[in-house]
Amino acid sequence: MLLAVDCGNTNTVFSIWDGTQFIGTWRTSTEWQRTADQYYVWLSTLMKFQKVEADITDMIISSTVPRVVFNLRVLADRYFHTRPIVVGKPECRLPVDVRVDAGTAVGPDRLVNTVAGYDLFGGDLIVVDFGTATTFDVVASDGAYIGGVIAPGVNLSLEALHNAAAALPHVDISKPQAVIGTNTVACMQSGIFWGYVGLVREICARIKAEREREMRVIATGGLAPLFQQAVDLFDTYQDDLTMHGLTVIYNYNKDTA
């Protein structure tokens, strides 16, 4: 079975794929100091607790935190006796082209989302990922990654607002009852929620205008369901988009090996 690992700046997700479906998914905070032994104890304990039986023979990694990859490689070698596929490394082949400026390093998560989006929905896509950063990935009609947009993430903006203004509290993001807030928390929640709704709409509209064509907008990431409450903001929400992309890339590398 395949162990797919998506390591972001804030969280790392482990999912086990049996060839047809994910049979277990677990999330932990991203810490580059965590050793391979710690990963294994944590993962094996959760598998036993949830009674997930899996003979892991392969592993694929997408990581936006380079220092984490070493210990994940050790995990694959020491406990699963396999050499992992690492997205973004030269030996990892992609089923789509990457058309950006020469020398530009594209985040592995963005490449994986592009592959997943094209596999599920075809081309002419805008993939909006609500992670530590809010990213917009543009997928051409033939599935190629052709660039995108990076904006500060929602929680990152809230944290910056709280840290920079002594009188402003830390608040959780939610859809406000009204645009005009009547207390500090409501004002902040309205500004973040409707501000990001406007940001997403405007950026997607400008991408479509620049491309001179209609494009489907796909949302993913932890806060995507919250912003889906805004009418017509996205065409589709896909919770496991990145994990699906990892399985597609894994199968592509196995088939072309």
Side-chain angles (χ1 to χ4, degrees):
M1 295 186 188
L2 173 69
L3 176 60
V5 182
D6 172 32
C7 177
N9 289 293
T10 303
N11 293 314
T12 300
V13 180
F14 290 70
S15 288
I16 298 176
W17 175 258
D18 69 0
T20 58
Q21 63 181 345
F22 290 108
I23 62 173
T25 297
W26 304 275
R27 183 183 299 267
T28 185
S29 58
T30 298
E31 297 178 7
W32 68 267
Q33 303 97 328
R34 187 170 289 153
T35 66
D37 300 329
Q38 289 174 313
Y39 277 123
Y40 182 74
V41 170
W42 169 81
L43 181 61
S44 60
T45 301
L46 288 174
M47 289 174 64
K48 289 179 182 177
F49 180 76
Q50 296 186 6
K51 298 180 180 179
V52 174
E53 296 183 3
D55 180 17
I56 296 171
T57 58
D58 295 281
M59 187 168 165
I60 185 168
I61 302 166
S62 168
S63 177
T64 59
V65 185
R67 287 195 290 182
V68 171
V69 175
F70 173 78
N71 283 321
L72 290 173
R73 285 185 181 273
V74 175
L75 171 70
D77 177 65
R78 181 177 298 168
Y79 291 103
F80 305 127
H81 311 294
T82 186
R83 179 172 179 168
I85 298 169
V86 181
V87 179
K89 298 299 182 182
E91 62 271 18
C92 177
R93 294 176 293 276
L94 298 175
V96 300
D97 289 335
V98 180
R99 300 184 193 132
V100 295
D101 294 343
T104 299
V106 180
D109 55 330
R110 307 182 76 181
L111 298 176
V112 174
N113 285 346
T114 295
V115 169
Y118 183 63
D119 182 72
L120 292 171
F121 306 105
D124 290 327
L125 302 177
I126 303 171
V127 180
V128 185
D129 189 349
F130 290 89
T132 305
T134 300
T135 59
F136 300 74
D137 300 319
V138 183
V139 185
S141 57
D142 64 350
Y145 174 83
I146 57 173
V149 177
I150 301 175
V154 178
N155 287 318
L156 193 63
S157 295
L158 275 172
E159 194 66 26
L161 195 61
H162 168 64
N163 289 336
L168 296 181
H170 179 80
V171 300
D172 294 325
I173 180 64
S174 64
K175 183 180 180 181
Q177 296 297 315
V179 176
I180 301 174
T182 55
N183 57 69
T184 301
V185 170
C187 289
M188 294 174 67
Q189 289 176 331
S190 182
I192 289 292
F193 182 84
W194 293 114
Y196 270 85
V197 168
L199 179 146
V200 171
R201 280 186 171 151
E202 181 67 13
I203 289 178
C204 287
R206 287 184 175 273
I207 290 173
K208 292 176 183 178
E210 193 167 292
R211 294 285 293 159
E212 298 182 335
R213 66 189 66 197
E214 280 301 311
M215 304 184 74
R216 180 179 290 188
V217 180
I218 312 300
T220 192
L223 289 176
L226 172 66
F227 287 96
Q228 181 71 338
Q229 297 177 35
V231 179
D232 298 329
L233 192 59
F234 313 119
D235 294 304
T236 305
Y237 164 67
Q238 196 72 27
D239 177 49
D240 60 351
L241 187 71
T242 305
M243 284 299 167
H244 177 76
L246 286 173
T247 67
V248 174
I249 294 172
Y250 166 77
N251 287 330
Y252 181 76
N253 278 266
K254 286 298 181 182
D255 291 343
T256 58

